[in-house]
Amino acid sequence: MVRTLHILERINVCDMNGMLKEGSFKDKTIIVTGGGTGLGRSMGEYLLELGANLVITSRKMEVLEQSAEEMMKESGGEVLPVPCDIRNYNEIENVIREAENKFGRIDGVLNNAAGNFISPTERLSHRAFDIVIDIVLRGTSNFTLATGKNWIEKKQPGVFLNIVTTYAWTGSGYVVPSACAKAGVLAMTRSLAVEWSKYNIRSNAIAPGPFPTEGAWKRLFPGEVAEKIDPLKRIPLKRFGEHQELANLAAYLMSDYAAYINGEVVTIDGGEWLQGAGEFNGLEAIPAEMWDIMEKMRSKKQG
Ligand code: HXC
Ligand code: NAP
C-alpha cells in the first residue's frame, strides 16, 4: 500500500480545468455505474458541476452514501445513491425505477463499473475467470439492455458511454478475463451504435490508459509489481492521466456537442499502446551521441 501511494504521489499535477460550457447538462439525468469511487466519481463530479442530476450505483451502499453526500456538498447538485450489483438484472431495473421516481427521466448511462486483477491465466479458477466476465461484460450488457429497452419503450433519446481499456483490441496477458470482457463491451458499443441509432440512442466508448485510482492500483500494481513494471516508463508523455482530462472527454461524448459522434472509441493514454506497437519505438533508448557516431560512419562510407 505504501508503494501504491508512492506511485500515486507521482501524478503530474497541472492546472486542469473543466472544458464544457456551464449548464451543459442542466435538466439531464445521468447514471454512473461504479460512481462512488475512482474514475466514476471523478467523471460524475464533473457532470454534476455541469448541472446534471446524478445517480450513482455499485454494490457498497455505505461508499455510495458517503460519496453522494460529499459530492452534493461540493457542487450543490443532486446525487441519488442506489445500491446495485450489475450482475443482477432486477437490481438494475430497481435503479431505473428509483432514478425515474426522483428525477423523472434518464438521459444517459456511463457504464464504468468493473472488476479486475492480475494473475497468470493458468492459476485462475473458473470462478475467478467468471467473476470478471460477469461484472464487466454481463454487468455492462445488463445495464445497457435494461436502460435501452426503457428508452425505446418511452420513445426517449439516450446516450451510452462505456469505459473500456486499450487492451480491448490488442488483448493482454495476465488480465485475460478483463481483456475478453472489455473486447465484448467494445463490440457491443459499435454494434448498438448502428442498431439503436434509429431510436436516437448513441453509443460510444473511451479507452483510458493508466489513471491512478486506489481500486486499480492495489489490484494491478500491488507491492513490488509497481517497481518491476513501472507503468510510467511505458507512456511517451511520461505522466499519468489527470482525472479531469478523462472527465472532460466523458462529458463531451455524453453531451449534445457530440450529437454526431456514434460508435467511436476514443483512446486517452498519452500514446501508451502505440508505444508498445511501433516496431522501432525502442530506439528511444539510443542516446544522441550514438546517433552522431552512426551518422559519421555513414558519411565516411559515402565520402
Ligand atoms: C486470482 C482471484 C484474485 C486474484 C479474486 N480471485 N482475486 N484469483 N488472483 N487477485 C478469485 C477468488 O479466489 C474467487 O475464486 C473469485 O476470484 C471471486 O473472488 P471474490 O473475492 O469472492 O469476489 P468479490 O468479493 O466479488 O470481488 C470481485 C473482484 C474484486 C473482481 C475479485 O477485485 C473487486 O471487487 N473488484 C472491483 C473493483 C476493481 O476491480 N477495480 C479495478 C478496475 S481497474 P474461487 O475459485 O477461490 O472461489 C481496471 C483497469 C484496467 O479494470 C487498465 C489499467 C491500466
Ligand atoms: P474502481 O474505483 O475500483 O472502480 C470500479 C467500480 O466498479 C467500483 O466503484 C465498484 O464499486 C464498482 N463495481 C465493481 N463490481 C461491481 C458490481 N458487480 N456491480 C456494481 N458495481 C460494481 O476503479 P477505477 O480505476 O476507477 O475503474 C473505473 C473504470 O475505468 C473501469 O471500467 C476500469 O476498467 C476502467 N479503467 C481504469 C483505468 C485506470 O487506470 N484506473 C484504466 C483503464 C480503464 P463496488 O465495489 O461498491 O461495487
Side-chain angles (χ1 to χ4, degrees):
M1 193 60 195
V2 174
R3 287 201 179 92
T4 304
L5 289 174
H6 173 65
I7 287 232
L8 286 171
E9 277 158 16
R10 285 160 50 198
I11 306 168
N12 190 8
V13 180
C14 49
D15 183 19
M16 187 59 62
N17 294 311
M19 175 179 96
L20 291 197
K21 266 195 219 152
E22 208 175 292
S24 298
F25 279 82
K26 192 170 175 300
D27 299 328
K28 303 240 187 222
T29 299
I30 308 292
I31 299 179
V32 183
T33 68
T37 66
L39 301 181
R41 175 162 170 173
S42 297
M43 292 185 282
E45 279 172 350
Y46 186 44
L47 293 168
L48 254 187
E49 194 184 315
L50 292 168
N53 299 316
L54 214 62
V55 180
I56 57 174
T57 183
S58 79
R59 294 165 298 178
K60 300 187 193 96
M61 187 54 169
E62 65 286 2
V63 174
L64 293 174
E65 277 175 336
Q66 193 183 332
S67 295
E69 203 184 306
E70 289 166 4
M71 290 159 95
M72 285 194 281
K73 214 185 226 170
E74 190 146 311
S75 65
E78 291 261 32
V79 184
L80 175 69
V82 188
C84 161
D85 185 328
I86 55 173
R87 290 169 290 186
N88 301 332
Y89 197 84
N90 58 339
E91 293 182 31
I92 295 171
E93 290 182 313
N94 180 53
V95 177
I96 294 173
R97 236 181 347 259
E98 291 216 18
E100 287 182 335
N101 285 344
K102 168 99 180 154
F103 297 119
R105 56 182 274 158
I106 299 157
D107 299 281
V109 170
L110 210 175
N111 279 311
N112 161 82
N116 201 359
F117 46 77
I118 48 168
S119 174
T121 308
E122 69 278 13
R123 287 178 181 243
L124 292 173
S125 69
H126 66 87
R127 282 178 300 272
F129 209 112
D130 282 352
I131 199 147
V132 174
I133 301 273
D134 281 350
I135 297 172
V136 178
L137 183 53
R138 194 185 304 277
T140 306
S141 65
N142 276 344
F143 227 106
T144 303
L145 193 62
T147 33
K149 282 183 176 202
N150 182 50
W151 284 331
I152 292 164
E153 195 191 310
K154 294 186 168 137
K155 298 191 169 39
Q156 277 176 18
V159 55
F160 288 112
L161 180 62
N162 301 327
I163 305 300
V164 295
T165 59
T166 52
Y167 57 66
W169 52 89
T170 61
S172 174
Y174 302 94
V175 284
V176 171
S178 171
C180 298
K182 294 285 192 183
V185 172
L186 183 55
M188 187 180 67
T189 307
R190 289 172 167 153
S191 307
L192 290 179
V194 175
E195 190 183 334
W196 283 356
S197 60
K198 61 178 173 285
Y199 301 119
N200 216 351
I201 296 173
R202 289 191 296 123
S203 298
N204 289 299
I206 295 179
F211 282 72
T213 65
E214 199 183 331
W217 253 240
K218 77 177 178 203
R219 293 179 177 90
L220 302 174
F221 307 110
E224 287 177 11
V225 171
E227 280 160 21
K228 283 231 176 330
I229 55 147
D230 185 350
L232 256 190
K233 289 203 184 121
R234 296 171 35 83
I235 305 169
L237 286 178
K238 306 284 181 242
R239 69 172 177 90
F240 295 124
E242 294 274 344
H243 285 208
Q244 185 63 49
E245 291 176 298
L246 179 67
N248 280 342
L249 179 59
Y252 168 65
L253 287 173
M254 295 196 87
S255 77
D256 294 339
Y257 296 110
Y260 204 49
I261 300 183
N262 190 24
E264 187 54 87
V265 53
V266 182
T267 302
I268 177 166
D269 73 342
E272 186 196 31
W273 85 269
L274 283 169
Q275 160 79 30
E279 177 95 41
F280 289 101
N281 287 340
L283 292 182
E284 176 76 14
I286 304 288
E289 307 81 63
M290 207 185 281
W291 287 116
D292 290 344
I293 295 170
M294 285 194 279
E295 202 175 322
K296 268 190 203 138
M297 283 166 61
R298 189 167 49 83
S299 34
K300 214 164 145 188
K301 224 173 173 182
Q302 280 171 353

